[in-house]
Short mmCIF file of all heavy atoms in Angstrom, two decimals:
data_model
loop_
_atom_site.label_atom_id
_atom_site.label_comp_id
_atom_site.label_asym_id
_atom_site.label_seq_id
_atom_site.Cartn_x
_atom_site.Cartn_y
_atom_site.Cartn_z
N ASP F 21 114.96 128.30 149.33
CA ASP F 21 115.22 129.75 149.03
C ASP F 21 113.92 130.63 148.94
O ASP F 21 113.98 131.75 149.17
CB ASP F 21 115.99 129.82 147.71
CG ASP F 21 117.45 129.48 147.77
OD1 ASP F 21 117.95 129.58 148.98
OD2 ASP F 21 118.12 129.11 146.82
N ARG F 22 112.97 130.01 148.30
CA ARG F 22 111.74 130.80 148.12
C ARG F 22 111.05 131.17 149.34
O ARG F 22 110.26 132.31 149.35
CB ARG F 22 110.75 130.04 147.17
CG ARG F 22 111.22 129.93 145.69
CD ARG F 22 110.22 129.36 144.80
NE ARG F 22 108.94 130.05 144.76
CZ ARG F 22 107.82 129.41 144.32
NH1 ARG F 22 107.96 128.20 143.84
NH2 ARG F 22 106.73 130.12 144.24
N ILE F 23 111.29 130.55 150.44
CA ILE F 23 110.78 131.04 151.74
C ILE F 23 111.38 132.44 152.04
O ILE F 23 110.61 133.37 152.60
CB ILE F 23 111.16 130.08 152.87
CG1 ILE F 23 110.44 128.90 152.72
CG2 ILE F 23 110.85 130.76 154.29
CD1 ILE F 23 108.86 128.85 152.75
N GLY F 24 112.63 132.79 151.64
CA GLY F 24 113.15 134.03 151.82
C GLY F 24 112.30 135.14 151.04
O GLY F 24 112.11 136.28 151.51
N ASN F 25 111.81 134.82 149.89
CA ASN F 25 110.95 135.69 149.12
C ASN F 25 109.67 135.97 149.80
O ASN F 25 109.18 137.18 149.90
CB ASN F 25 110.73 135.09 147.73
CG ASN F 25 111.87 134.94 146.87
OD1 ASN F 25 112.97 135.50 147.10
ND2 ASN F 25 111.73 134.08 145.87
N ILE F 26 109.08 134.89 150.41
CA ILE F 26 107.79 135.08 151.17
C ILE F 26 108.06 136.07 152.38
O ILE F 26 107.31 136.84 152.60
CB ILE F 26 107.34 133.66 151.68
CG1 ILE F 26 107.10 132.73 150.50
CG2 ILE F 26 106.14 133.82 152.46
CD1 ILE F 26 106.24 133.21 149.40
N ILE F 27 109.19 135.77 153.09
CA ILE F 27 109.56 136.64 154.18
C ILE F 27 109.61 138.04 153.74
O ILE F 27 109.27 138.92 154.47
CB ILE F 27 110.74 136.10 154.97
CG1 ILE F 27 110.46 134.74 155.56
CG2 ILE F 27 111.35 137.08 155.85
CD1 ILE F 27 111.63 134.11 156.10
N LYS F 28 110.33 138.38 152.74
CA LYS F 28 110.47 139.76 152.10
C LYS F 28 109.05 140.36 152.03
O LYS F 28 108.79 141.52 152.22
CB LYS F 28 111.35 139.79 150.89
CG LYS F 28 112.71 139.50 151.10
CD LYS F 28 113.45 139.41 149.91
CE LYS F 28 115.01 139.09 150.01
NZ LYS F 28 115.74 138.77 148.81
N MET F 29 108.19 139.56 151.36
CA MET F 29 106.80 140.09 151.09
C MET F 29 106.18 140.39 152.47
O MET F 29 105.37 141.36 152.56
CB MET F 29 106.13 139.03 150.25
CG MET F 29 106.60 138.96 148.81
SD MET F 29 106.09 137.45 147.98
CE MET F 29 104.34 137.84 147.70
N MET F 30 106.33 139.46 153.37
CA MET F 30 105.62 139.68 154.73
C MET F 30 106.18 140.97 155.52
O MET F 30 105.40 141.63 156.05
CB MET F 30 105.96 138.52 155.61
CG MET F 30 105.07 137.22 155.29
SD MET F 30 105.47 135.88 156.27
CE MET F 30 103.98 134.89 156.17
N LYS F 31 107.53 141.16 155.23
CA LYS F 31 108.14 142.35 155.85
C LYS F 31 107.58 143.69 155.32
O LYS F 31 107.66 144.64 155.87
CB LYS F 31 109.55 142.32 155.75
CG LYS F 31 110.19 141.31 156.59
CD LYS F 31 111.74 141.27 156.57
CE LYS F 31 112.32 140.26 157.57
NZ LYS F 31 113.73 140.23 157.49
N GLN F 32 106.80 143.57 154.11
CA GLN F 32 106.29 144.79 153.53
C GLN F 32 105.00 145.13 154.23
O GLN F 32 104.44 146.20 154.02
CB GLN F 32 106.08 144.59 152.06
CG GLN F 32 107.35 144.47 151.33
CD GLN F 32 107.23 144.07 149.74
OE1 GLN F 32 106.09 144.02 149.37
NE2 GLN F 32 108.29 144.02 149.07
N ASN F 33 104.49 144.18 154.91
CA ASN F 33 103.16 144.44 155.60
C ASN F 33 103.29 143.82 157.14
O ASN F 33 102.77 142.85 157.49
CB ASN F 33 102.07 143.63 155.00
CG ASN F 33 100.67 144.13 155.41
OD1 ASN F 33 100.52 144.75 156.54
ND2 ASN F 33 99.65 143.52 154.79
N PRO F 34 104.18 144.54 157.94
CA PRO F 34 104.47 144.07 159.20
C PRO F 34 103.30 143.93 160.24
O PRO F 34 103.22 142.89 161.02
CB PRO F 34 105.54 145.00 159.79
CG PRO F 34 105.43 146.18 159.08
CD PRO F 34 104.83 145.83 157.77
N GLU F 35 102.33 144.78 160.13
CA GLU F 35 101.18 144.75 161.00
C GLU F 35 100.37 143.47 160.70
O GLU F 35 100.01 142.73 161.74
CB GLU F 35 100.18 145.86 160.80
CG GLU F 35 99.15 145.97 161.76
CD GLU F 35 99.59 146.11 163.24
OE1 GLU F 35 100.62 146.58 163.60
OE2 GLU F 35 98.72 145.64 163.98
N ARG F 36 100.19 143.02 159.45
CA ARG F 36 99.52 141.75 159.08
C ARG F 36 100.10 140.63 159.68
O ARG F 36 99.43 139.63 160.03
CB ARG F 36 99.43 141.61 157.65
CG ARG F 36 98.82 140.32 157.19
CD ARG F 36 97.50 140.38 156.71
NE ARG F 36 96.99 139.17 156.03
CZ ARG F 36 96.07 138.42 156.39
NH1 ARG F 36 95.47 138.61 157.64
NH2 ARG F 36 95.77 137.31 155.75
N TYR F 37 101.38 140.55 159.64
CA TYR F 37 102.21 139.41 159.93
C TYR F 37 102.85 139.38 161.45
O TYR F 37 103.76 138.63 161.68
CB TYR F 37 103.23 139.10 158.80
CG TYR F 37 102.54 138.89 157.69
CD1 TYR F 37 102.59 139.76 156.60
CD2 TYR F 37 101.80 137.75 157.37
CE1 TYR F 37 102.02 139.68 155.44
CE2 TYR F 37 101.11 137.53 156.13
CZ TYR F 37 101.36 138.58 155.24
OH TYR F 37 100.64 138.38 153.94
N LYS F 38 102.51 140.37 162.22
CA LYS F 38 103.23 140.62 163.47
C LYS F 38 103.05 139.35 164.45
O LYS F 38 104.00 139.08 165.22
CB LYS F 38 102.70 141.75 164.25
CG LYS F 38 101.29 141.80 164.76
CD LYS F 38 100.86 143.01 165.48
CE LYS F 38 99.43 142.85 165.89
NZ LYS F 38 98.95 144.26 166.36
N ASN F 39 102.03 138.49 164.34
CA ASN F 39 101.90 137.39 165.18
C ASN F 39 102.21 136.06 164.47
O ASN F 39 101.91 134.95 165.00
CB ASN F 39 100.40 137.35 165.66
CG ASN F 39 100.17 138.48 166.57
OD1 ASN F 39 100.90 138.90 167.39
ND2 ASN F 39 98.89 139.07 166.40
N PHE F 40 102.76 136.18 163.26
CA PHE F 40 103.00 134.96 162.52
C PHE F 40 104.32 134.42 162.96
O PHE F 40 105.37 135.08 163.25
CB PHE F 40 103.14 135.31 160.99
CG PHE F 40 103.08 134.11 160.18
CD1 PHE F 40 101.79 133.50 159.95
CD2 PHE F 40 104.18 133.58 159.63
CE1 PHE F 40 101.74 132.39 159.04
CE2 PHE F 40 104.18 132.49 158.70
CZ PHE F 40 102.97 131.80 158.56
N LYS F 41 104.35 133.10 163.18
CA LYS F 41 105.59 132.28 163.53
C LYS F 41 106.04 131.31 162.53
O LYS F 41 105.25 130.67 161.84
CB LYS F 41 105.27 131.44 164.84
CG LYS F 41 104.81 132.41 166.03
CD LYS F 41 104.60 131.46 167.17
CE LYS F 41 103.66 132.04 168.09
NZ LYS F 41 102.25 131.92 167.70
N PHE F 42 107.38 131.27 162.25
CA PHE F 42 107.94 130.30 161.43
C PHE F 42 108.63 129.30 162.34
O PHE F 42 109.21 129.61 163.35
CB PHE F 42 109.04 130.92 160.50
CG PHE F 42 108.47 131.65 159.32
CD1 PHE F 42 108.30 133.02 159.38
CD2 PHE F 42 108.13 131.06 158.14
CE1 PHE F 42 107.81 133.68 158.33
CE2 PHE F 42 107.69 131.74 157.16
CZ PHE F 42 107.42 133.06 157.20
N HIS F 43 108.55 127.99 161.89
CA HIS F 43 109.29 126.93 162.59
C HIS F 43 110.29 126.31 161.49
O HIS F 43 109.93 125.41 160.78
CB HIS F 43 108.29 125.81 163.10
CG HIS F 43 107.64 126.12 164.36
ND1 HIS F 43 106.95 125.31 165.04
CD2 HIS F 43 107.49 127.40 164.96
CE1 HIS F 43 106.29 125.92 166.06
NE2 HIS F 43 106.59 127.14 166.04
N PRO F 44 111.44 126.97 161.37
CA PRO F 44 112.26 126.53 160.37
C PRO F 44 112.78 125.06 160.69
O PRO F 44 113.00 124.61 161.67
CB PRO F 44 113.56 127.52 160.38
CG PRO F 44 113.05 128.65 161.24
CD PRO F 44 111.98 128.07 162.02
N CYS F 45 113.07 124.39 159.46
CA CYS F 45 113.54 123.06 159.48
C CYS F 45 114.85 122.96 158.78
O CYS F 45 114.66 123.24 157.49
CB CYS F 45 112.45 122.03 159.00
SG CYS F 45 112.95 120.29 159.02
N MET F 46 115.88 122.69 159.21
CA MET F 46 117.19 122.70 158.53
C MET F 46 118.02 121.45 158.66
O MET F 46 117.87 120.70 159.54
CB MET F 46 117.97 123.94 158.90
CG MET F 46 118.37 123.97 160.26
SD MET F 46 119.23 125.33 160.92
CE MET F 46 118.03 126.60 160.96
N PRO F 47 119.03 121.30 157.70
CA PRO F 47 119.20 122.08 156.55
C PRO F 47 118.44 121.65 155.32
O PRO F 47 117.99 120.59 155.30
CB PRO F 47 120.82 121.79 156.31
CG PRO F 47 120.94 120.41 156.70
CD PRO F 47 119.92 120.21 157.92
N TYR F 48 118.45 122.53 154.31
CA TYR F 48 117.86 122.22 153.10
C TYR F 48 119.00 121.97 152.20
O TYR F 48 119.53 122.87 151.44
CB TYR F 48 116.97 123.35 152.56
CG TYR F 48 116.11 122.81 151.37
CD1 TYR F 48 115.08 121.86 151.47
CD2 TYR F 48 116.46 123.35 150.13
CE1 TYR F 48 114.46 121.51 150.34
CE2 TYR F 48 115.77 122.95 148.91
CZ TYR F 48 114.76 122.10 149.09
OH TYR F 48 114.03 121.59 148.02
N ALA F 49 119.61 120.79 152.06
CA ALA F 49 120.70 120.41 151.46
C ALA F 49 120.68 120.73 149.90
O ALA F 49 121.77 121.21 149.29
CB ALA F 49 121.18 118.92 151.53
N HIS F 50 119.58 120.52 149.18
CA HIS F 50 119.49 120.70 147.85
C HIS F 50 119.76 122.24 147.42
O HIS F 50 120.35 122.52 146.44
CB HIS F 50 118.04 120.40 147.21
CG HIS F 50 117.79 118.99 147.35
ND1 HIS F 50 118.40 117.99 146.56
CD2 HIS F 50 116.88 118.32 148.05
CE1 HIS F 50 118.00 116.81 146.91
NE2 HIS F 50 117.06 116.96 147.73
N LYS F 51 119.45 123.15 148.33
CA LYS F 51 119.83 124.57 148.20
C LYS F 51 121.22 124.73 147.93
O LYS F 51 121.60 125.47 147.04
CB LYS F 51 119.26 125.36 149.47
CG LYS F 51 119.76 126.82 149.44
CD LYS F 51 119.05 127.56 150.55
CE LYS F 51 119.45 127.02 151.91
NZ LYS F 51 118.98 127.76 153.11
N TYR F 52 122.04 124.10 148.84
CA TYR F 52 123.47 124.23 148.64
C TYR F 52 124.13 123.64 147.50
O TYR F 52 124.99 124.13 146.69
CB TYR F 52 124.25 123.73 149.88
CG TYR F 52 123.71 124.59 151.11
CD1 TYR F 52 123.06 124.03 152.11
CD2 TYR F 52 124.15 125.92 151.26
CE1 TYR F 52 122.57 124.79 153.16
CE2 TYR F 52 123.89 126.61 152.38
CZ TYR F 52 123.05 126.03 153.31
OH TYR F 52 122.54 126.78 154.39
N ALA F 53 123.59 122.35 147.02
CA ALA F 53 123.96 121.83 145.82
C ALA F 53 123.61 122.66 144.62
O ALA F 53 124.58 122.75 143.73
CB ALA F 53 123.35 120.38 145.70
N ASN F 54 122.39 123.25 144.63
CA ASN F 54 121.99 124.07 143.36
C ASN F 54 122.87 125.27 143.47
O ASN F 54 123.28 125.69 142.30
CB ASN F 54 120.53 124.41 143.50
CG ASN F 54 119.74 123.14 143.31
OD1 ASN F 54 120.12 122.13 142.82
ND2 ASN F 54 118.51 123.31 143.72
N ALA F 55 123.19 125.92 144.51
CA ALA F 55 123.90 127.14 144.56
C ALA F 55 125.42 126.87 144.10
O ALA F 55 125.93 127.82 143.37
CB ALA F 55 123.92 127.76 145.94
N MET F 56 126.01 125.73 144.51
CA MET F 56 127.25 125.47 144.05
C MET F 56 127.42 125.28 142.53
O MET F 56 128.40 125.83 141.96
CB MET F 56 127.73 124.14 144.68
CG MET F 56 127.96 124.23 146.16
SD MET F 56 129.37 125.20 146.75
CE MET F 56 130.61 123.91 146.45
N THR F 57 126.31 124.88 142.00
CA THR F 57 126.29 124.56 140.59
C THR F 57 126.09 125.93 139.90
O THR F 57 126.81 126.22 138.86
CB THR F 57 125.12 123.70 140.12
OG1 THR F 57 125.26 122.39 140.65
CG2 THR F 57 125.08 123.56 138.62
N GLU F 58 125.29 126.77 140.37
CA GLU F 58 124.97 128.12 139.75
C GLU F 58 125.93 129.26 140.03
O GLU F 58 126.23 130.11 139.25
CB GLU F 58 123.52 128.66 140.13
CG GLU F 58 122.47 127.57 139.63
CD GLU F 58 121.03 128.03 140.11
OE1 GLU F 58 120.96 129.15 140.66
OE2 GLU F 58 120.26 127.13 140.00
N LEU F 59 126.40 129.28 141.35
CA LEU F 59 127.26 130.41 141.89
C LEU F 59 128.57 130.05 142.18
O LEU F 59 129.59 131.06 142.40
CB LEU F 59 126.55 130.91 143.15
CG LEU F 59 125.08 131.38 143.08
CD1 LEU F 59 124.63 131.64 144.54
CD2 LEU F 59 124.86 132.55 142.21
N GLY F 60 128.97 128.72 142.18
CA GLY F 60 130.34 128.33 142.52
C GLY F 60 130.48 128.43 144.08
O GLY F 60 129.56 128.86 144.81
N ILE F 61 131.69 128.07 144.48
CA ILE F 61 132.02 127.89 145.96
C ILE F 61 131.88 129.35 146.61
O ILE F 61 131.27 129.55 147.65
CB ILE F 61 133.30 127.26 146.25
CG1 ILE F 61 133.29 125.80 145.81
CG2 ILE F 61 133.70 127.41 147.62
CD1 ILE F 61 134.73 125.24 145.77
N VAL F 62 132.57 130.29 146.06
CA VAL F 62 132.75 131.65 146.61
C VAL F 62 131.34 132.28 146.56
O VAL F 62 130.83 132.83 147.54
CB VAL F 62 133.84 132.44 145.95
CG1 VAL F 62 133.73 133.90 146.45
CG2 VAL F 62 135.17 131.85 146.15
N GLY F 63 130.59 132.15 145.41
CA GLY F 63 129.26 132.67 145.37
C GLY F 63 128.31 132.14 146.28
O GLY F 63 127.52 132.85 146.88
N THR F 64 128.46 130.90 146.60
CA THR F 64 127.56 130.22 147.48
C THR F 64 127.81 130.84 148.94
O THR F 64 126.89 130.99 149.76
CB THR F 64 127.72 128.67 147.50
OG1 THR F 64 127.36 128.24 146.15
CG2 THR F 64 126.81 127.92 148.51
#
């Protein structure tokens, strides 16, 4: 999840990060397990 926060920060300075590349690796299963606990099924 915190990668989403980093991306939001990067989008605030598009010129600085225009050549930056992400190589996402998925899935991050703990994210879904934690979300189910905190948000429930519909919230997740």
Side-chain angles (χ1 to χ4, degrees):
D21 284 339
R22 288 183 62 197
I23 292 299
N25 298 340
I26 303 307
I27 290 169
K28 286 176 188 172
M29 293 165 68
M30 288 179 156
K31 286 181 176 181
Q32 293 173 0
N33 190 352
E35 187 59 30
R36 168 103 169 117
Y37 302 106
K38 69 181 178 186
N39 296 319
F40 195 78
K41 298 177 205 84
F42 283 95
H43 288 187
C45 178
M46 63 180 69
Y48 188 74
H50 295 293
K51 170 174 63 178
Y52 297 107
N54 293 341
M56 292 287 280
T57 301
E58 294 174 19
L59 305 172
I61 294 171
V62 174
T64 300

